Amino acid sequence: MLGEREKVVLCKQLWQVAEFCGVEILTYCIMSNHFHVLVRVPERVDLSNDELLKRAEILYFRDDDALQVIRNVFANEDEVGIERVRARLYARMYDVSGFMKEIKQRFSIWYNNTHDRYGVFWADSFKSVLVEGKRFSVEMVAAYIDLNPVWAGIVNDPKDYRYSGYGEAMGGVDRSRKGLMKAVYEEGDWKDALASYRQVLFGKGAVVRKKGQGAIDGELAQKVLDKKGKLSRAQLLRCRVRYFTDGLVIGSKEFIDDFCERNREAFGERGFRRPCEMSGGDWRGMRAFRGFRNV
């Protein structure tokens, strides 16, 4: 059901809806017919009208009519209307059920429109597990999620699966690095945090849980543990090249900005707003831009 394009779209929607809802994604994994996501739901905070409007713009950036209605209510200073809009927006924030409902609905609409189909897309309602906010508990759930493509026999090393929090983090994506650092409760250098988490992944991933299920090769797992989870510069470069070669434009910020300006009609303004920065080591300052039309 979920090919490469569908996984890219679902990934994008996960992060957009999380930003709207105020939910923090620690890690995720999108498989061919389901997905997992580990989130932290913060306490509700009182948002200003300006902040609520910014959140609405994230969610409704392709629905000009709905967005204009919200803008008009705030602009006209209609107290009754403002309270009604605030209540409707708040009802979908800081809540795991609202977060999942928004994702499932938005992806279903996109999938049906794209594949010329109609009706229900998801077979079941989502299942949730409450995780104690301590390192061992959160780290183990994160590892379970990131090891899904290994257990499915798709890859032998979880860093080679790009549609996951760990795969994104090893590819240089900052948002996923930050999420995993919160999952492993590490402060300071992200390399040390990911090295520690990599040892957990390979210690857990080398164990065959079920008959016929994939697992990390024992010799490879031992090598990773011997190196304390650290990747060589060549391995890091290969992870980043995967994200570079999946891009549309590669180069400096100025080069990409110039390309965006000259080709804005082809992709639309939002498509060029945030190129993906690849920083660190010898690749500091390099950027890759991935543009998707009608996504």
Side-chain angles (χ1 to χ4, degrees):
M1 293 292 288
L2 304 178
E4 182 174 345
R5 184 187 182 195
E6 289 77 17
K7 290 175 183 177
V8 168
V9 173
L10 182 53
C11 175
K12 184 177 180 180
Q13 291 183 351
L14 277 172
W15 289 100
Q16 285 177 336
V17 174
E19 189 174 358
F20 165 78
C21 291
V23 169
E24 299 176 5
I25 294 178
L26 303 188
T27 194
Y28 73 95
C29 186
I30 301 175
M31 302 296 284
S32 61
N33 63 355
H34 69 282
F35 70 94
H36 301 271
V37 58
L38 176 62
V39 299
R40 175 181 175 270
V41 184
E43 295 290 334
R44 289 179 180 269
V45 296
D46 187 26
L47 301 175
S48 67
N49 290 343
D50 288 340
E51 180 61 30
L52 276 175
L53 182 57
K54 288 180 182 178
R55 297 277 188 97
E57 288 173 344
I58 294 170
L59 202 62
Y60 292 110
F61 72 94
R62 289 195 177 276
D63 191 342
D64 292 335
D65 293 337
L67 192 55
Q68 192 58 49
V69 169
I70 297 174
R71 285 172 175 163
N72 289 340
V73 170
F74 285 123
N76 294 333
E77 299 183 353
D78 175 7
E79 292 186 7
V80 176
I82 288 175
E83 286 305 312
R84 186 181 299 115
V85 169
R86 288 179 63 88
R88 291 177 64 181
L89 291 176
Y90 260 118
R92 299 150 68 188
M93 296 179 181
Y94 303 106
D95 179 76
V96 69
S97 294
F99 169 69
M100 290 299 296
K101 179 180 178 181
E102 200 69 46
I103 290 170
K104 292 177 68 177
Q105 285 183 343
R106 296 177 76 83
F107 186 78
S108 296
I109 292 171
W110 175 85
Y111 192 95
N112 285 352
N113 289 340
T114 305
H115 295 79
D116 194 25
R117 71 183 295 275
Y118 63 90
V120 176
F121 176 78
W122 304 101
D124 300 303
S125 60
F126 76 94
K127 300 176 182 178
S128 63
V129 177
L130 182 64
V131 182
E132 183 182 15
K134 293 184 178 180
R135 175 171 181 171
F136 178 79
S137 301
V138 176
E139 194 174 62
M140 287 299 101
V141 174
Y144 165 81
I145 291 174
D146 285 319
L147 283 168
N148 261 254
V150 173
W151 287 329
I154 300 173
V155 295
N156 191 42
D157 189 326
K159 72 175 173 56
D160 295 327
Y161 191 73
R162 62 169 292 191
Y163 307 106
S164 66
Y166 182 69
E168 269 199 343
M170 300 312 293
V173 180
D174 188 55
R175 65 191 183 191
S176 291
R177 286 180 180 173
K178 291 179 178 178
L180 279 175
M181 286 186 71
K182 292 178 181 178
V184 300
Y185 286 79
E186 290 281 355
E187 297 181 356
D189 195 330
W190 67 267
K191 291 183 180 180
D192 292 336
L194 291 187
S196 173
Y197 182 57
R198 186 168 173 80
Q199 293 182 76
V200 173
L201 286 174
F202 275 74
K204 191 175 180 65
V207 178
V208 179
R209 301 190 313 154
K210 298 178 183 179
K211 184 178 181 180
Q213 189 177 57
I216 293 175
D217 178 74
E219 292 185 8
L220 175 59
Q222 190 59 52
K223 288 180 180 179
V224 169
L225 295 176
D226 290 342
K227 294 179 180 179
K228 296 183 178 180
K230 293 186 177 180
L231 290 175
S232 68
R233 291 175 65 82
Q235 289 173 312
L236 282 171
L237 177 59
R238 189 167 71 247
C239 290
R240 296 188 179 196
V241 164
R242 180 181 68 226
Y243 279 84
F244 277 151
T245 55
D246 284 340
L248 177 65
V249 187
I250 301 173
S252 67
K253 179 180 183 299
E254 291 74 18
F255 178 81
I256 293 177
D257 286 346
D258 179 65
F259 175 87
C260 293
E261 281 299 324
R262 289 186 287 106
N263 297 275
R264 192 169 298 281
E265 290 184 1
F267 294 91
E269 183 178 353
R270 280 193 68 88
F272 294 110
R273 190 164 294 175
R274 294 179 183 174
C276 174
E277 182 177 4
M278 302 299 208
S279 60
D282 295 338
W283 311 287
R284 187 174 300 279
M286 291 294 290
R287 291 168 181 255
F289 165 71
R290 298 187 293 275
F292 298 93
R293 191 171 186 178
N294 297 327
V295 170

